Amino acid sequence: LCVYSDQECQGNGARKRGWMPPDQLLLELTKGGFGLVWYGDEERHQYMSMSNSLKLSVYLAAGLPVIVPRGISNQCMIEENRLGIAVDTLDEAVETVKSMTEQEYEKYAASVAQFASLLRGGFFTRKCLLDALHTCMRKEMYTYSESNITYMMEECAFEYICLNEAYEDNLALSWVFRGKAEGFLVREADSSKLIREIQNPLEHYLLLENYAKDARLVVQAYFRTLKGKMVVAESDVAFVSGQCQKTAVVSLIMPAYNAEDYIARSIDTALAQSFAELEILIINDGSTDRTQEIIDWYQERYPQIKPFYKANGGQASARNVGVEKAKGAYIALMDNDDMIRPNMIERLYDAIIKNDCDIAMTSVYQMTNMGYEKISEYDLPEDTAVSVDDFFELYIRYAYPVIWNKLYRSSLVKEHPFAVVTYEDNAWTPYALSYAEKICYINEHLYEYDRTIRSSTAIHTSIAKPVEEQYAARRDYLMFFLNNGNPKRRAVLKRLALGYTLGFLDVFTYPKFKELREEIQQLWI
């Protein structure tokens, strides 16, 4: 066994020849023998079942017959063209070579010699490129057959899967996938029957309508190939399990108003959280549709659902009711038409505990008809405590005044209730931040702000109002955080407010906006 490498080699009959430049190596290999293509571990063996080995082409270009393990991607080509032998073990390879006559070896060498000239001349490369072009021009490029090809990749894995009962005799399947894929296949675990194909690798939630409650399901991640779909990871088996009440460590607050068309989905993703010590407070803000009926259905089945009803007063007042009732040491907030990824609470909780912060936050996907857009991203060190003063410098620049992509220390929220104004997010976020000391950031887009399921929101309603009312609403939220924010951070709050007024002047010609800017400039001089 001749080893052309600088690495150490051991074993009877192994001779180290050292590393050689490609031209010299090719000349050396033409002296004859067999080229050995083998593997060091099972993962490499599995890889070779899907991908060519560079060593194989080097040996063939040099005119050497090869010895390869059975099951590799090139086995049929090698055996059909008499380019070498395929064996199960190295011991089998030794015995095959020992029993081979010189005439038999010469037949292999003659076949390889014809093949080598084609390989060195680039015939196969040109053919591959032409086939790819022809495939691109054919309709069938866009259709993929089912395939039983499975190649598990270490960098791809399902970290969590959850199956729950959902409203109206449905099932809600949720999962956390790490790595890259082109889509998912949902199958019955026992029969491998395909239930659904999901072509968007960013999705993490599937509603199965009228599906049996005793279902056992798996999710597979795949890539498309010209031979079909190649599975790169498979989840554990998911099934509906019993729900038990645990002491709340985190309180997730969700205000709800006339949300019958979408609140079930939001509740499903909240129930799918991998963090077990969670209570979900849903505050019905005087809905007149079936919202309360849906909430009641979930409350009967899931002890972590805590419903409350109040007369209509807006999201801020509903959130304040939830804050008052919350029992957890930490509070998260969610809108009734959005989704959260199954590991959001766990990831934020781990970060806030590890870094001893007042707030942990994540980046956000905004879902539009154009797809997933990344928002609320900050140039901050990952999962590391930073001062709120440093964070404000970025906040002023990017100004994403959202409240629901964060986990808060409960005392911070309870001591600083929400402003009951039109733009309560803009009012409350800088106000609450000003009383925090440390914040940490997870850039994983764990919250999904959905703008696809309803055409009209509170923001759309407000911007359709007369300019006088729009001025009053904007003045209210600026004055709220300026007058009520932490006095120690007046300077940064003032800079933030002035930045907002510049934006107003770009949009509105209403003269009072200029007066508002001048008024703010005179504060605390």
Side-chain angles (χ1 to χ4, degrees), residues 19-65:
W19 181 87
M20 294 183 182
D23 292 345
Q24 183 181 346
L25 176 62
L26 208 61
L27 183 62
E28 179 72 17
L29 294 177
T30 58
K31 295 178 181 179
F34 283 91
L36 178 63
V37 178
W38 209 253
Y39 54 92
D41 53 42
E42 189 53 38
E43 182 181 357
R44 182 67 183 175
H45 190 195
Q46 192 177 40
Y47 169 81
M48 291 167 67
S49 70
M50 298 300 302
S51 180
N52 261 320
S53 168
L54 178 61
K55 290 194 293 282
L56 181 65
S57 61
V58 172
Y59 293 144
L60 293 175
L64 285 188

Short mmCIF file of all heavy atoms in Angstrom, two decimals, residues 19-65:
data_model
loop_
_atom_site.label_atom_id
_atom_site.label_comp_id
_atom_site.label_asym_id
_atom_site.label_seq_id
_atom_site.Cartn_x
_atom_site.Cartn_y
_atom_site.Cartn_z
N TRP A 19 3.97 13.63 0.00
CA TRP A 19 3.12 14.42 -0.89
C TRP A 19 3.84 14.73 -2.20
O TRP A 19 5.05 14.99 -2.22
CB TRP A 19 2.72 15.73 -0.21
CG TRP A 19 1.81 16.58 -1.05
CD1 TRP A 19 0.46 16.54 -1.13
CD2 TRP A 19 2.22 17.62 -1.96
NE1 TRP A 19 -0.02 17.46 -2.02
CE2 TRP A 19 1.04 18.15 -2.56
CE3 TRP A 19 3.46 18.15 -2.35
CZ2 TRP A 19 1.06 19.17 -3.48
CZ3 TRP A 19 3.48 19.17 -3.29
CH2 TRP A 19 2.30 19.67 -3.85
N MET A 20 3.08 14.71 -3.30
CA MET A 20 3.64 15.03 -4.61
C MET A 20 2.76 16.04 -5.33
O MET A 20 1.52 15.97 -5.18
CB MET A 20 3.76 13.77 -5.48
CG MET A 20 4.75 12.75 -4.98
SD MET A 20 4.87 11.34 -6.13
CE MET A 20 6.03 10.31 -5.25
N PRO A 21 3.33 16.93 -6.14
CA PRO A 21 2.51 17.83 -6.96
C PRO A 21 1.65 17.00 -7.93
O PRO A 21 2.02 15.87 -8.29
CB PRO A 21 3.54 18.68 -7.72
CG PRO A 21 4.80 18.53 -6.96
CD PRO A 21 4.77 17.18 -6.32
N PRO A 22 0.52 17.52 -8.39
CA PRO A 22 -0.41 16.75 -9.24
C PRO A 22 0.24 16.10 -10.45
O PRO A 22 0.01 14.92 -10.72
CB PRO A 22 -1.45 17.81 -9.65
CG PRO A 22 -1.43 18.80 -8.54
CD PRO A 22 -0.01 18.85 -8.06
N ASP A 23 1.09 16.84 -11.19
CA ASP A 23 1.71 16.27 -12.39
C ASP A 23 2.61 15.09 -12.04
O ASP A 23 2.60 14.05 -12.72
CB ASP A 23 2.51 17.34 -13.15
CG ASP A 23 1.60 18.39 -13.77
OD1 ASP A 23 0.38 18.14 -13.84
OD2 ASP A 23 2.12 19.46 -14.16
N GLN A 24 3.41 15.25 -10.98
CA GLN A 24 4.32 14.19 -10.57
C GLN A 24 3.55 12.98 -10.05
O GLN A 24 3.92 11.82 -10.33
CB GLN A 24 5.28 14.71 -9.50
CG GLN A 24 6.34 13.69 -9.06
CD GLN A 24 7.24 14.24 -7.98
OE1 GLN A 24 7.27 15.45 -7.71
NE2 GLN A 24 7.99 13.35 -7.34
N LEU A 25 2.47 13.25 -9.30
CA LEU A 25 1.66 12.17 -8.76
C LEU A 25 1.03 11.36 -9.89
O LEU A 25 1.03 10.12 -9.87
CB LEU A 25 0.57 12.73 -7.85
CG LEU A 25 -0.43 11.71 -7.28
CD1 LEU A 25 0.29 10.69 -6.40
CD2 LEU A 25 -1.53 12.41 -6.50
N LEU A 26 0.51 12.06 -10.91
CA LEU A 26 -0.13 11.37 -12.02
C LEU A 26 0.87 10.47 -12.74
O LEU A 26 0.56 9.32 -13.10
CB LEU A 26 -0.70 12.41 -13.00
CG LEU A 26 -1.91 11.97 -13.83
CD1 LEU A 26 -3.08 11.64 -12.93
CD2 LEU A 26 -2.30 13.08 -14.80
N LEU A 27 2.11 10.97 -12.92
CA LEU A 27 3.14 10.17 -13.57
C LEU A 27 3.50 8.95 -12.72
O LEU A 27 3.68 7.84 -13.24
CB LEU A 27 4.38 11.04 -13.80
CG LEU A 27 5.54 10.38 -14.55
CD1 LEU A 27 5.12 9.98 -15.96
CD2 LEU A 27 6.74 11.34 -14.62
N GLU A 28 3.56 9.13 -11.42
CA GLU A 28 3.90 8.04 -10.51
C GLU A 28 2.83 6.95 -10.54
O GLU A 28 3.13 5.75 -10.55
CB GLU A 28 4.06 8.59 -9.08
CG GLU A 28 4.39 7.56 -8.03
CD GLU A 28 5.81 7.02 -8.13
OE1 GLU A 28 6.64 7.67 -8.79
OE2 GLU A 28 6.08 5.96 -7.53
N LEU A 29 1.56 7.38 -10.60
CA LEU A 29 0.47 6.41 -10.56
C LEU A 29 0.37 5.58 -11.84
O LEU A 29 -0.15 4.46 -11.83
CB LEU A 29 -0.87 7.13 -10.32
CG LEU A 29 -1.04 7.81 -8.96
CD1 LEU A 29 -2.39 8.54 -8.90
CD2 LEU A 29 -0.95 6.79 -7.82
N THR A 30 0.87 6.10 -12.94
CA THR A 30 0.76 5.37 -14.21
C THR A 30 1.62 4.10 -14.22
O THR A 30 1.55 3.31 -15.18
CB THR A 30 1.18 6.27 -15.39
OG1 THR A 30 2.52 6.74 -15.18
CG2 THR A 30 0.24 7.45 -15.55
N LYS A 31 2.43 3.88 -13.19
CA LYS A 31 3.29 2.70 -13.13
C LYS A 31 2.49 1.42 -12.93
O LYS A 31 3.00 0.33 -13.14
CB LYS A 31 4.34 2.85 -12.02
CG LYS A 31 5.32 3.99 -12.28
CD LYS A 31 6.31 4.15 -11.12
CE LYS A 31 7.27 5.29 -11.39
NZ LYS A 31 8.24 5.48 -10.28
N GLY A 32 1.21 1.57 -12.49
CA GLY A 32 0.36 0.39 -12.38
C GLY A 32 -0.09 0.10 -10.96
O GLY A 32 0.32 0.75 -10.00
N GLY A 33 -0.94 -0.92 -10.86
CA GLY A 33 -1.50 -1.30 -9.57
C GLY A 33 -2.98 -0.98 -9.52
O GLY A 33 -3.65 -0.89 -10.56
N PHE A 34 -3.52 -0.80 -8.33
CA PHE A 34 -4.92 -0.41 -8.12
C PHE A 34 -4.96 0.90 -7.34
O PHE A 34 -4.10 1.15 -6.48
CB PHE A 34 -5.68 -1.47 -7.31
CG PHE A 34 -6.06 -2.69 -8.09
CD1 PHE A 34 -5.21 -3.79 -8.15
CD2 PHE A 34 -7.27 -2.74 -8.78
CE1 PHE A 34 -5.56 -4.93 -8.86
CE2 PHE A 34 -7.63 -3.87 -9.50
CZ PHE A 34 -6.77 -4.97 -9.55
N GLY A 35 -5.95 1.72 -7.61
CA GLY A 35 -6.19 2.91 -6.80
C GLY A 35 -7.25 2.61 -5.76
O GLY A 35 -8.36 2.17 -6.11
N LEU A 36 -6.94 2.80 -4.49
CA LEU A 36 -7.87 2.47 -3.40
C LEU A 36 -8.66 3.71 -2.99
O LEU A 36 -8.08 4.72 -2.60
CB LEU A 36 -7.10 1.92 -2.20
CG LEU A 36 -7.95 1.59 -0.97
CD1 LEU A 36 -8.94 0.48 -1.27
CD2 LEU A 36 -7.05 1.20 0.22
N VAL A 37 -9.98 3.61 -3.09
CA VAL A 37 -10.88 4.67 -2.61
C VAL A 37 -11.65 4.08 -1.45
O VAL A 37 -12.51 3.21 -1.64
CB VAL A 37 -11.84 5.13 -3.73
CG1 VAL A 37 -12.80 6.19 -3.19
CG2 VAL A 37 -11.07 5.67 -4.92
N TRP A 38 -11.36 4.54 -0.23
CA TRP A 38 -12.02 3.94 0.94
C TRP A 38 -12.45 5.03 1.91
O TRP A 38 -12.35 6.23 1.60
CB TRP A 38 -11.08 2.93 1.61
CG TRP A 38 -11.83 1.81 2.30
CD1 TRP A 38 -12.00 1.63 3.63
CD2 TRP A 38 -12.54 0.76 1.66
NE1 TRP A 38 -12.78 0.53 3.88
CE2 TRP A 38 -13.11 -0.04 2.67
CE3 TRP A 38 -12.75 0.41 0.31
CZ2 TRP A 38 -13.89 -1.15 2.39
CZ3 TRP A 38 -13.51 -0.71 0.04
CH2 TRP A 38 -14.07 -1.49 1.07
N TYR A 39 -12.91 4.65 3.07
CA TYR A 39 -13.46 5.61 4.03
C TYR A 39 -12.90 5.33 5.42
O TYR A 39 -12.50 4.21 5.74
CB TYR A 39 -14.99 5.52 4.07
CG TYR A 39 -15.54 4.13 4.33
CD1 TYR A 39 -15.81 3.70 5.61
CD2 TYR A 39 -15.75 3.24 3.28
CE1 TYR A 39 -16.29 2.43 5.86
CE2 TYR A 39 -16.23 1.96 3.50
CZ TYR A 39 -16.50 1.55 4.79
OH TYR A 39 -16.98 0.29 5.04
N GLY A 40 -12.87 6.39 6.23
CA GLY A 40 -12.34 6.25 7.58
C GLY A 40 -13.39 6.01 8.64
O GLY A 40 -13.10 5.47 9.70
N ASP A 41 -14.61 6.43 8.38
CA ASP A 41 -15.69 6.23 9.35
C ASP A 41 -17.01 6.13 8.59
O ASP A 41 -17.08 6.34 7.38
CB ASP A 41 -15.74 7.36 10.39
CG ASP A 41 -15.81 8.73 9.75
OD1 ASP A 41 -16.54 8.90 8.76
OD2 ASP A 41 -15.12 9.65 10.24
N GLU A 42 -18.09 5.83 9.31
CA GLU A 42 -19.38 5.59 8.66
C GLU A 42 -19.96 6.86 8.05
O GLU A 42 -20.65 6.81 7.02
CB GLU A 42 -20.37 5.01 9.67
CG GLU A 42 -21.68 4.50 9.05
CD GLU A 42 -21.43 3.51 7.91
OE1 GLU A 42 -20.49 2.68 8.03
OE2 GLU A 42 -22.15 3.59 6.90
N GLU A 43 -19.67 8.01 8.65
CA GLU A 43 -20.17 9.26 8.09
C GLU A 43 -19.57 9.51 6.70
O GLU A 43 -20.28 9.90 5.76
CB GLU A 43 -19.83 10.44 9.01
CG GLU A 43 -20.38 11.77 8.50
CD GLU A 43 -20.03 12.94 9.41
OE1 GLU A 43 -19.42 12.70 10.46
OE2 GLU A 43 -20.36 14.07 9.05
N ARG A 44 -18.27 9.24 6.57
CA ARG A 44 -17.62 9.39 5.27
C ARG A 44 -18.17 8.37 4.26
O ARG A 44 -18.36 8.68 3.08
CB ARG A 44 -16.11 9.21 5.44
CG ARG A 44 -15.31 9.38 4.15
CD ARG A 44 -15.36 10.80 3.64
NE ARG A 44 -14.65 10.93 2.37
CZ ARG A 44 -14.62 12.04 1.66
NH1 ARG A 44 -15.25 13.12 2.10
NH2 ARG A 44 -13.96 12.08 0.51
N HIS A 45 -18.45 7.16 4.75
CA HIS A 45 -19.04 6.14 3.89
C HIS A 45 -20.39 6.61 3.36
O HIS A 45 -20.70 6.46 2.17
CB HIS A 45 -19.20 4.84 4.69
CG HIS A 45 -19.57 3.66 3.84
ND1 HIS A 45 -20.05 2.48 4.38
CD2 HIS A 45 -19.54 3.47 2.50
CE1 HIS A 45 -20.29 1.63 3.40
NE2 HIS A 45 -19.99 2.20 2.25
N GLN A 46 -21.20 7.19 4.24
CA GLN A 46 -22.51 7.69 3.84
C GLN A 46 -22.37 8.84 2.84
O GLN A 46 -23.11 8.94 1.85
CB GLN A 46 -23.29 8.16 5.08
CG GLN A 46 -24.75 8.43 4.81
CD GLN A 46 -25.48 8.83 6.08
OE1 GLN A 46 -24.96 9.58 6.91
NE2 GLN A 46 -26.69 8.35 6.26
N TYR A 47 -21.39 9.70 3.07
CA TYR A 47 -21.14 10.81 2.14
C TYR A 47 -20.81 10.27 0.74
O TYR A 47 -21.29 10.79 -0.27
CB TYR A 47 -19.98 11.67 2.66
CG TYR A 47 -19.47 12.68 1.67
CD1 TYR A 47 -20.12 13.89 1.48
CD2 TYR A 47 -18.34 12.42 0.90
CE1 TYR A 47 -19.66 14.82 0.56
CE2 TYR A 47 -17.86 13.34 -0.02
CZ TYR A 47 -18.53 14.53 -0.19
OH TYR A 47 -18.07 15.44 -1.11
N MET A 48 -20.00 9.23 0.67
CA MET A 48 -19.59 8.68 -0.62
C MET A 48 -20.75 8.03 -1.37
O MET A 48 -20.67 7.82 -2.59
CB MET A 48 -18.46 7.65 -0.42
CG MET A 48 -17.15 8.29 0.02
SD MET A 48 -15.94 7.08 0.61
CE MET A 48 -15.59 6.20 -0.89
N SER A 49 -21.84 7.72 -0.68
CA SER A 49 -23.01 7.17 -1.37
C SER A 49 -23.73 8.23 -2.18
O SER A 49 -24.56 7.90 -3.03
CB SER A 49 -23.97 6.56 -0.34
OG SER A 49 -24.60 7.57 0.43
N MET A 50 -23.41 9.51 -1.94
CA MET A 50 -24.09 10.60 -2.65
C MET A 50 -23.15 11.44 -3.51
O MET A 50 -23.60 12.13 -4.42
CB MET A 50 -24.77 11.54 -1.63
CG MET A 50 -25.84 10.90 -0.78
SD MET A 50 -27.18 10.23 -1.77
CE MET A 50 -27.71 11.69 -2.63
N SER A 51 -21.86 11.41 -3.23
CA SER A 51 -20.95 12.35 -3.89
C SER A 51 -19.70 11.65 -4.40
O SER A 51 -19.20 10.72 -3.77
CB SER A 51 -20.56 13.45 -2.91
OG SER A 51 -19.69 14.38 -3.50
N ASN A 52 -19.19 12.11 -5.55
CA ASN A 52 -17.96 11.58 -6.11
C ASN A 52 -16.76 11.87 -5.20
O ASN A 52 -16.72 12.87 -4.49
CB ASN A 52 -17.68 12.24 -7.46
CG ASN A 52 -18.11 11.35 -8.61
OD1 ASN A 52 -17.92 10.15 -8.57
ND2 ASN A 52 -18.69 11.96 -9.62
N SER A 53 -15.79 10.99 -5.25
CA SER A 53 -14.53 11.23 -4.56
C SER A 53 -13.52 11.77 -5.56
O SER A 53 -13.38 11.24 -6.67
CB SER A 53 -14.01 9.93 -3.94
OG SER A 53 -12.67 10.09 -3.53
N LEU A 54 -12.80 12.80 -5.19
CA LEU A 54 -11.77 13.36 -6.07
C LEU A 54 -10.68 12.33 -6.35
O LEU A 54 -10.15 12.25 -7.46
CB LEU A 54 -11.16 14.61 -5.43
CG LEU A 54 -10.03 15.29 -6.21
CD1 LEU A 54 -10.54 15.76 -7.57
CD2 LEU A 54 -9.44 16.45 -5.42
N LYS A 55 -10.35 11.50 -5.36
CA LYS A 55 -9.32 10.48 -5.54
C LYS A 55 -9.68 9.54 -6.70
O LYS A 55 -8.83 9.09 -7.45
CB LYS A 55 -9.16 9.67 -4.25
CG LYS A 55 -8.53 10.44 -3.10
CD LYS A 55 -8.10 9.51 -2.00
CE LYS A 55 -9.26 8.86 -1.30
NZ LYS A 55 -9.94 9.73 -0.34
N LEU A 56 -10.96 9.24 -6.82
CA LEU A 56 -11.40 8.32 -7.86
C LEU A 56 -11.03 8.84 -9.25
O LEU A 56 -10.49 8.11 -10.09
CB LEU A 56 -12.91 8.10 -7.76
CG LEU A 56 -13.52 7.14 -8.77
CD1 LEU A 56 -13.00 5.74 -8.56
CD2 LEU A 56 -15.04 7.16 -8.67
N SER A 57 -11.29 10.12 -9.51
CA SER A 57 -10.98 10.68 -10.83
C SER A 57 -9.48 10.75 -11.07
O SER A 57 -9.00 10.60 -12.20
CB SER A 57 -11.61 12.07 -10.97
OG SER A 57 -11.09 12.96 -10.00
N VAL A 58 -8.69 10.97 -10.01
CA VAL A 58 -7.23 11.01 -10.16
C VAL A 58 -6.71 9.63 -10.60
O VAL A 58 -5.91 9.51 -11.53
CB VAL A 58 -6.56 11.44 -8.84
CG1 VAL A 58 -5.03 11.29 -8.95
CG2 VAL A 58 -6.92 12.88 -8.52
N TYR A 59 -7.19 8.57 -9.92
CA TYR A 59 -6.75 7.22 -10.26
C TYR A 59 -7.15 6.87 -11.70
O TYR A 59 -6.34 6.33 -12.47
CB TYR A 59 -7.37 6.21 -9.31
CG TYR A 59 -6.89 6.31 -7.89
CD1 TYR A 59 -7.75 6.06 -6.83
CD2 TYR A 59 -5.57 6.63 -7.59
CE1 TYR A 59 -7.33 6.13 -5.52
CE2 TYR A 59 -5.13 6.72 -6.28
CZ TYR A 59 -6.01 6.47 -5.25
OH TYR A 59 -5.58 6.55 -3.96
N LEU A 60 -8.36 7.16 -12.08
CA LEU A 60 -8.84 6.81 -13.41
C LEU A 60 -8.11 7.60 -14.49
O LEU A 60 -7.78 7.08 -15.55
CB LEU A 60 -10.35 7.03 -13.50
CG LEU A 60 -11.21 6.09 -12.63
CD1 LEU A 60 -12.68 6.48 -12.72
CD2 LEU A 60 -11.02 4.63 -13.04
N ALA A 61 -7.86 8.88 -14.22
CA ALA A 61 -7.11 9.70 -15.18
C ALA A 61 -5.70 9.18 -15.38
O ALA A 61 -5.10 9.32 -16.45
CB ALA A 61 -7.08 11.15 -14.72
N ALA A 62 -5.14 8.54 -14.33
CA ALA A 62 -3.79 7.97 -14.43
C ALA A 62 -3.81 6.58 -15.07
O ALA A 62 -2.74 5.99 -15.28
CB ALA A 62 -3.17 7.88 -13.04
N GLY A 63 -5.01 6.05 -15.36
CA GLY A 63 -5.11 4.73 -15.98
C GLY A 63 -5.11 3.58 -15.01
O GLY A 63 -4.87 2.43 -15.40
N LEU A 64 -5.38 3.83 -13.71
CA LEU A 64 -5.39 2.78 -12.71
C LEU A 64 -6.79 2.22 -12.52
O LEU A 64 -7.74 2.98 -12.29
CB LEU A 64 -4.91 3.32 -11.35
CG LEU A 64 -3.42 3.58 -11.14
CD1 LEU A 64 -3.18 3.92 -9.68
CD2 LEU A 64 -2.59 2.37 -11.54
N PRO A 65 -6.98 0.89 -12.56
CA PRO A 65 -8.23 0.32 -12.07
C PRO A 65 -8.38 0.64 -10.58
O PRO A 65 -7.37 0.86 -9.87
CB PRO A 65 -8.05 -1.19 -12.29
CG PRO A 65 -6.95 -1.30 -13.29
CD PRO A 65 -6.04 -0.13 -13.06
#
